[in-house]
Amino acid sequence: MSNVYLLPVATFLIFQVTFLGTYIVAVLEGHVVPTVPYISDAATYSPESCIFGQLINMGSVLLGLTIYVRYRHIMQLYEHHPELDATLVRHNRLSLWFGMVSCLGISIVGNFQETNVRIMHFIGAFCCFGCGTLYFWMQALMTYTIYPMAGTRKTAHLRLGMSVCCTILFIMLAVTGIMSHILFNGQNPRKWYPSDGGWYYHVISTISEWIIATIFSFFILSFTPEFRDVSLQHPQISLMSYTMNV
């Protein structure tokens, strides 16, 4: 299969459709106010929660496949270029774990709504954004390591910049989110008005979440040029005493 480069493109598109589609439906249904709610707040009630859960699960699967292909891509580069530092293998495996935990977090966020299972939802969000940010740092540093065998210096700089932004935004999201909920004195946090208290912290937190989610999508999309040099083969399945390709 030579069109592997479409995998990060499909992942990017499904996440963008999920976030924007859920938001539009939630606003039209009157379940949230239009002024930048949390992504998960827009996916709290039916029918948008159903749409969000289905699409986010599909997206997490595609993301997991993208992360695994990237892992194998770097392993193949190491095997064909023995001059690369041996620490690249260790960093690549660590990056794979961070990425997969982030995928699991995304799925948890989609399946455990904040209003139903708050603790699990927050754990999923932490895994998604926290481990996702660590994954981006590892990928940015490895992009410098594998250059010029794969990728470009410009791509490495871009990924490093996105990693820095995600780190800053993740801290802002967490700190202002906690502060806004402490100061909130309204009835329904899904419909947060300026008179409810903690409004400015809430807006900073929600905007940070939307930006970091967008950066996440574009970071995955940045794998597209490198995946053009990747080809996948059908897996080999062992049946009893012989092997065949399916």
Side-chain angles (χ1 to χ4, degrees):
M1 185 171 63
S2 59
N3 53 353
V4 184
Y5 68 93
L6 294 177
L7 188 56
V9 175
T11 305
F12 170 82
L13 290 176
I14 196 167
F15 279 129
Q16 293 306 301
V17 170
T18 301
F19 299 149
L20 294 177
T22 303
Y23 169 75
I24 291 172
V25 173
V27 171
L28 292 177
E29 291 288 333
H31 293 157
V32 296
V33 293
T35 49
V36 199
Y38 285 111
I39 295 173
S40 54
D41 282 349
T44 299
Y45 304 111
S46 179
E48 56 269 23
S49 62
C50 305
I51 299 172
F52 183 81
Q54 178 64 43
L55 292 179
I56 210 71
N57 283 327
M58 294 169 60
S60 63
V61 171
L62 290 175
L63 179 59
L65 291 173
T66 303
I67 289 171
Y68 181 74
V69 170
R70 176 62 173 176
Y71 164 76
R72 293 296 304 163
H73 176 220
I74 293 180
M75 292 300 293
Q76 286 295 312
L77 287 173
Y78 178 77
E79 292 177 7
H80 288 83
H81 298 276
E83 69 273 16
L84 288 171
D85 196 315
T87 58
L88 178 66
V89 175
R90 184 168 64 253
H91 293 162
N92 193 32
R93 287 172 180 165
L94 186 61
S95 176
L96 175 67
W97 279 106
F98 284 142
M100 289 305 180
V101 172
S102 179
C103 289
L104 177 62
I106 293 173
S107 181
I108 291 174
V109 166
N111 292 305
F112 294 85
Q113 283 81 23
E114 182 183 353
T115 53
N116 297 327
V117 194
R118 183 181 295 267
I119 296 299
M120 284 301 299
H121 184 85
F122 287 155
I123 291 174
F126 179 81
C127 290
C128 170
F129 291 123
C131 292
T133 299
L134 292 174
Y135 175 77
F136 293 162
W137 273 106
M138 298 296 295
Q139 286 297 323
L141 296 176
M142 286 192 295
T143 304
Y144 283 105
T145 303
I146 63 177
Y147 173 80
M149 279 75 76
T152 63
R153 183 73 67 176
K154 182 179 179 181
T155 301
H157 293 335
L158 178 63
R159 288 175 182 164
L160 180 61
M162 287 192 285
S163 300
V164 171
C165 290
C166 283
T167 303
I168 296 172
L169 290 166
F170 178 64
I171 296 173
M172 290 176 59
L173 166 64
V175 173
T176 57
I178 293 173
M179 294 177 66
S180 65
H181 278 82
I182 292 174
L183 298 173
F184 178 70
N185 54 22
Q187 298 297 321
N188 184 0
R190 255 60 63 188
K191 294 183 178 181
W192 200 314
Y193 298 101
S195 59
D196 291 335
W199 167 256
Y200 294 106
Y201 291 118
H202 171 70
V203 171
I204 293 172
S205 182
T206 55
I207 290 177
S208 297
E209 184 187 49
W210 278 93
I211 295 176
I212 196 174
T214 303
I215 293 175
F216 267 45
S217 299
F218 276 100
F219 196 105
I220 297 302
L221 187 65
S222 72
F223 290 144
T224 303
E226 289 156 278
F227 278 20
R228 290 182 182 273
D229 297 326
V230 175
S231 178
L232 293 179
Q233 304 296 325
H234 288 293
Q236 207 172 56
I237 307 298
S238 297
L239 297 177
M240 302 300 288
S241 60
Y242 61 94
T243 302
M244 66 176 292
N245 288 331
V246 296

